[in-house]
Amino acid sequence: MSLPPILYHSFARPLPYHATWLLQQRIHSLQLALRPRAAHPDILLLLEHRPTYTAGRRQTDPSIDLERRRLQSLGADFVPATRGGQLTYHGPGQIVGYPLIDLSRYTPTIGARDYVCRIQKLLENHLQQSHAIPHSPSEHTGVFLDPTTKIASIGVQVRHRLTSHGFALNITREPLAWFDKIVACGLDDVKAGSIESKLEQTLSLREEIPGLVNQFGKQFHRDMVEMDLDEHGEIGKAIREVEEEAERAGGWAKEPRS
């Protein structure tokens, strides 16, 4: 029996991180409720965040309190996250992907390690096939342009075989100044890169969406269908509410304060 298509939605405006995390939790709960009837959709959300530093599960509140105050003084939000990994940055100029999919739909079930490998592969393939940019093999999770330049991060959570969090790919140069303010992912000798800085040309972030959607479908062997929010009840309503909150939030810091 073939699997249903994965629905995707891309957001036009950078979203507050916390509101987007709550959206993931809400969709997760709705998926669990609908799962006994196999009526739960698999979803890929593609978006930008407002400038935000996040800390992963490995870090404790005492260890990050001083960092939180320092980074907030730069003009960014700071949010402890439930994903794996350590301190990182999300913001405009970076595409964040949140796959909310049921790994138990596959036979055999996709394990967490395989899932992360597929995410990494789709990012590597997008860089190669859309921009002729080869990746540099690394012992670390994520995608590297060379041993000391990281262009994409991966941090996931899997609960009840349902995924949340996901990946972040730097498209424009805008995120780089924010990354320079931290040791991202605990890697002291690694700096952030972007597609723009590699190609030395200006890119449209929106034009990256079709290629990423296509690569996601290939890695997970699924058709990809753009979501019609009006047809998806509570989930569509929840997505619209986050979009409205982003609109109310107004502008955001374009670069870190000195």
Short mmCIF file of all heavy atoms in Angstrom, two decimals, residues 1-8 31 37-43 100-102 104-106 216-217 220-225 232:
data_model
loop_
_atom_site.label_atom_id
_atom_site.label_comp_id
_atom_site.label_asym_id
_atom_site.label_seq_id
_atom_site.Cartn_x
_atom_site.Cartn_y
_atom_site.Cartn_z
N MET A 1 0.84 -1.19 0.00
CA MET A 1 0.00 0.00 0.00
C MET A 1 0.89 1.25 0.00
O MET A 1 1.82 1.36 0.79
CB MET A 1 -0.87 -0.02 1.26
CG MET A 1 -1.82 1.15 1.38
SD MET A 1 -2.94 0.86 2.75
CE MET A 1 -2.94 2.49 3.47
N SER A 2 0.61 2.18 -0.91
CA SER A 2 1.44 3.38 -0.99
C SER A 2 1.12 4.33 0.16
O SER A 2 0.00 4.37 0.66
CB SER A 2 1.21 4.09 -2.33
OG SER A 2 -0.13 4.50 -2.44
N LEU A 3 2.13 5.09 0.54
CA LEU A 3 1.97 6.03 1.64
C LEU A 3 1.34 7.32 1.14
O LEU A 3 1.53 7.71 -0.02
CB LEU A 3 3.33 6.32 2.27
CG LEU A 3 4.01 5.14 2.95
CD1 LEU A 3 5.39 5.55 3.45
CD2 LEU A 3 3.17 4.60 4.10
N PRO A 4 0.59 8.02 1.99
CA PRO A 4 -0.01 9.29 1.58
C PRO A 4 1.08 10.33 1.33
O PRO A 4 2.21 10.20 1.82
CB PRO A 4 -0.88 9.68 2.78
CG PRO A 4 -0.24 9.00 3.94
CD PRO A 4 0.28 7.69 3.40
N PRO A 5 0.77 11.37 0.58
CA PRO A 5 1.78 12.41 0.34
C PRO A 5 2.12 13.16 1.62
O PRO A 5 1.32 13.20 2.58
CB PRO A 5 1.10 13.34 -0.67
CG PRO A 5 -0.36 13.12 -0.46
CD PRO A 5 -0.51 11.68 -0.08
N ILE A 6 3.31 13.73 1.66
CA ILE A 6 3.69 14.64 2.73
C ILE A 6 3.23 16.05 2.33
O ILE A 6 3.50 16.51 1.22
CB ILE A 6 5.21 14.62 2.96
CG1 ILE A 6 5.63 13.23 3.48
CG2 ILE A 6 5.64 15.71 3.94
CD1 ILE A 6 7.14 13.05 3.60
N LEU A 7 2.51 16.69 3.23
CA LEU A 7 2.04 18.04 2.99
C LEU A 7 3.11 19.03 3.43
O LEU A 7 3.73 18.84 4.48
CB LEU A 7 0.75 18.30 3.77
CG LEU A 7 -0.38 17.30 3.56
CD1 LEU A 7 -1.56 17.64 4.46
CD2 LEU A 7 -0.82 17.26 2.10
N TYR A 8 3.34 20.09 2.65
CA TYR A 8 4.32 21.08 3.06
C TYR A 8 3.71 22.48 3.04
O TYR A 8 2.78 22.77 2.29
CB TYR A 8 5.58 21.03 2.19
CG TYR A 8 5.41 21.51 0.77
CD1 TYR A 8 5.66 22.85 0.44
CD2 TYR A 8 5.02 20.64 -0.25
CE1 TYR A 8 5.51 23.30 -0.87
CE2 TYR A 8 4.86 21.09 -1.55
CZ TYR A 8 5.11 22.42 -1.85
OH TYR A 8 4.96 22.87 -3.14
N GLN A 31 -1.63 14.76 15.64
CA GLN A 31 -1.23 13.55 14.94
C GLN A 31 -1.46 12.31 15.79
O GLN A 31 -1.96 11.29 15.31
CB GLN A 31 0.25 13.64 14.53
CG GLN A 31 0.51 14.61 13.38
CD GLN A 31 2.00 14.79 13.12
OE1 GLN A 31 2.79 14.85 14.05
NE2 GLN A 31 2.38 14.88 11.86
N ARG A 37 -6.87 6.13 13.57
CA ARG A 37 -7.67 6.01 12.34
C ARG A 37 -6.82 6.20 11.09
O ARG A 37 -7.36 6.27 9.99
CB ARG A 37 -8.80 7.05 12.36
CG ARG A 37 -9.81 6.82 13.46
CD ARG A 37 -10.98 7.78 13.37
NE ARG A 37 -10.65 9.13 13.83
CZ ARG A 37 -10.65 10.21 13.06
NH1 ARG A 37 -10.93 10.13 11.78
NH2 ARG A 37 -10.37 11.41 13.57
N ALA A 38 -5.50 6.26 11.30
CA ALA A 38 -4.56 6.50 10.19
C ALA A 38 -4.95 7.74 9.40
O ALA A 38 -4.76 7.82 8.18
CB ALA A 38 -4.48 5.28 9.27
N ALA A 39 -5.52 8.73 10.12
CA ALA A 39 -5.98 9.96 9.46
C ALA A 39 -5.04 11.13 9.71
O ALA A 39 -5.38 12.27 9.39
CB ALA A 39 -7.39 10.30 9.96
N HIS A 40 -3.88 10.87 10.30
CA HIS A 40 -2.95 11.95 10.65
C HIS A 40 -2.05 12.29 9.46
O HIS A 40 -1.47 11.40 8.84
CB HIS A 40 -2.11 11.56 11.87
CG HIS A 40 -1.34 10.29 11.70
ND1 HIS A 40 -1.92 9.08 11.39
CD2 HIS A 40 0.01 10.03 11.79
CE1 HIS A 40 -1.00 8.14 11.31
NE2 HIS A 40 0.18 8.70 11.54
N PRO A 41 -1.93 13.56 9.14
CA PRO A 41 -1.07 13.95 8.02
C PRO A 41 0.39 14.00 8.43
O PRO A 41 0.72 14.26 9.59
CB PRO A 41 -1.58 15.35 7.66
CG PRO A 41 -2.05 15.90 8.98
CD PRO A 41 -2.61 14.73 9.73
N ASP A 42 1.27 13.75 7.48
CA ASP A 42 2.70 14.03 7.64
C ASP A 42 2.96 15.39 7.01
O ASP A 42 2.47 15.68 5.91
CB ASP A 42 3.55 12.96 6.95
CG ASP A 42 3.53 11.64 7.68
OD1 ASP A 42 3.37 11.66 8.92
OD2 ASP A 42 3.66 10.59 7.03
N ILE A 43 3.74 16.23 7.72
CA ILE A 43 3.86 17.64 7.34
C ILE A 43 5.32 18.07 7.35
O ILE A 43 6.09 17.66 8.23
CB ILE A 43 3.05 18.52 8.32
CG1 ILE A 43 1.55 18.18 8.21
CG2 ILE A 43 3.28 20.01 8.06
CD1 ILE A 43 0.71 18.83 9.29
N LEU A 100 7.37 16.94 10.42
CA LEU A 100 6.49 16.37 11.44
C LEU A 100 5.87 15.13 10.82
O LEU A 100 4.74 15.15 10.31
CB LEU A 100 5.44 17.40 11.86
CG LEU A 100 6.04 18.71 12.39
CD1 LEU A 100 5.05 19.85 12.30
CD2 LEU A 100 6.53 18.55 13.81
N ILE A 101 6.65 14.04 10.83
CA ILE A 101 6.24 12.84 10.11
C ILE A 101 6.26 11.61 11.03
O ILE A 101 6.97 11.57 12.02
CB ILE A 101 7.11 12.60 8.86
CG1 ILE A 101 8.57 12.34 9.24
CG2 ILE A 101 7.02 13.79 7.90
CD1 ILE A 101 9.44 11.99 8.04
N ASP A 102 5.47 10.62 10.65
CA ASP A 102 5.32 9.39 11.42
C ASP A 102 6.26 8.33 10.83
O ASP A 102 5.99 7.78 9.76
CB ASP A 102 3.86 8.92 11.36
CG ASP A 102 3.59 7.72 12.25
OD1 ASP A 102 4.56 7.14 12.81
OD2 ASP A 102 2.42 7.35 12.39
N SER A 104 6.76 5.41 11.85
CA SER A 104 6.20 4.06 11.92
C SER A 104 5.36 3.71 10.69
O SER A 104 4.96 2.56 10.52
CB SER A 104 5.34 3.89 13.17
OG SER A 104 4.16 4.67 13.11
N ARG A 105 5.13 4.70 9.82
CA ARG A 105 4.40 4.41 8.57
C ARG A 105 5.25 3.55 7.63
O ARG A 105 4.73 2.94 6.70
CB ARG A 105 4.03 5.71 7.87
CG ARG A 105 2.74 6.35 8.41
CD ARG A 105 2.26 7.43 7.47
NE ARG A 105 0.84 7.63 7.61
CZ ARG A 105 0.26 8.79 7.91
NH1 ARG A 105 1.00 9.86 8.13
NH2 ARG A 105 -1.04 8.88 8.00
N TYR A 106 6.56 3.55 7.84
CA TYR A 106 7.45 2.83 6.95
C TYR A 106 7.63 1.40 7.43
O TYR A 106 7.59 1.11 8.62
CB TYR A 106 8.80 3.53 6.89
CG TYR A 106 8.75 4.87 6.17
CD1 TYR A 106 8.38 6.03 6.84
CD2 TYR A 106 9.06 4.96 4.81
CE1 TYR A 106 8.32 7.25 6.19
CE2 TYR A 106 9.00 6.18 4.15
CZ TYR A 106 8.63 7.32 4.84
OH TYR A 106 8.56 8.53 4.19
N PHE A 216 13.42 16.40 -0.32
CA PHE A 216 12.78 15.73 0.82
C PHE A 216 11.93 14.56 0.33
O PHE A 216 11.99 13.46 0.88
CB PHE A 216 11.92 16.73 1.60
CG PHE A 216 11.54 16.23 2.97
CD1 PHE A 216 12.32 16.56 4.08
CD2 PHE A 216 10.42 15.44 3.15
CE1 PHE A 216 11.98 16.08 5.35
CE2 PHE A 216 10.07 14.96 4.41
CZ PHE A 216 10.86 15.29 5.51
N GLY A 217 11.13 14.80 -0.71
CA GLY A 217 10.31 13.73 -1.25
C GLY A 217 11.13 12.55 -1.73
O GLY A 217 10.76 11.38 -1.51
N PHE A 220 12.53 10.44 1.28
CA PHE A 220 11.53 9.71 2.05
C PHE A 220 10.54 8.97 1.16
O PHE A 220 9.56 8.41 1.65
CB PHE A 220 10.82 10.66 3.02
CG PHE A 220 11.71 11.10 4.14
CD1 PHE A 220 12.47 12.25 4.03
CD2 PHE A 220 11.84 10.33 5.29
CE1 PHE A 220 13.34 12.64 5.06
CE2 PHE A 220 12.69 10.71 6.32
CZ PHE A 220 13.44 11.86 6.21
N HIS A 221 10.81 8.95 -0.15
CA HIS A 221 10.02 8.18 -1.11
C HIS A 221 8.53 8.51 -1.01
O HIS A 221 7.68 7.62 -0.93
CB HIS A 221 10.25 6.68 -0.90
CG HIS A 221 11.69 6.29 -0.90
ND1 HIS A 221 12.49 6.33 -2.02
CD2 HIS A 221 12.51 5.88 0.10
CE1 HIS A 221 13.72 5.95 -1.72
NE2 HIS A 221 13.76 5.68 -0.44
N ARG A 222 8.26 9.81 -1.05
CA ARG A 222 6.87 10.27 -0.91
C ARG A 222 6.60 11.39 -1.92
O ARG A 222 7.49 12.17 -2.26
CB ARG A 222 6.62 10.82 0.51
CG ARG A 222 6.96 9.86 1.63
CD ARG A 222 5.87 8.85 1.88
NE ARG A 222 4.72 9.47 2.53
CZ ARG A 222 4.65 9.68 3.86
NH1 ARG A 222 5.66 9.38 4.66
NH2 ARG A 222 3.55 10.20 4.39
N ASP A 223 5.34 11.48 -2.34
CA ASP A 223 4.91 12.66 -3.08
C ASP A 223 4.82 13.83 -2.10
O ASP A 223 4.50 13.65 -0.92
CB ASP A 223 3.55 12.41 -3.72
CG ASP A 223 3.61 11.40 -4.85
OD1 ASP A 223 4.67 11.27 -5.48
OD2 ASP A 223 2.59 10.72 -5.09
N MET A 224 5.08 15.03 -2.61
CA MET A 224 5.01 16.25 -1.80
C MET A 224 3.90 17.13 -2.36
O MET A 224 3.88 17.43 -3.56
CB MET A 224 6.34 17.00 -1.83
CG MET A 224 7.55 16.18 -1.40
SD MET A 224 7.53 15.69 0.35
CE MET A 224 7.68 17.28 1.17
N VAL A 225 2.97 17.54 -1.49
CA VAL A 225 1.82 18.34 -1.91
C VAL A 225 1.73 19.58 -1.03
O VAL A 225 1.76 19.47 0.21
CB VAL A 225 0.51 17.53 -1.80
CG1 VAL A 225 -0.70 18.41 -2.11
CG2 VAL A 225 0.55 16.32 -2.73
N HIS A 232 -7.52 21.71 6.23
CA HIS A 232 -6.90 20.89 7.27
C HIS A 232 -7.23 21.35 8.68
O HIS A 232 -6.39 21.30 9.58
CB HIS A 232 -5.38 20.81 7.03
CG HIS A 232 -5.04 20.02 5.81
ND1 HIS A 232 -5.02 18.65 5.79
CD2 HIS A 232 -4.77 20.42 4.54
CE1 HIS A 232 -4.72 18.23 4.58
NE2 HIS A 232 -4.57 19.29 3.80
#
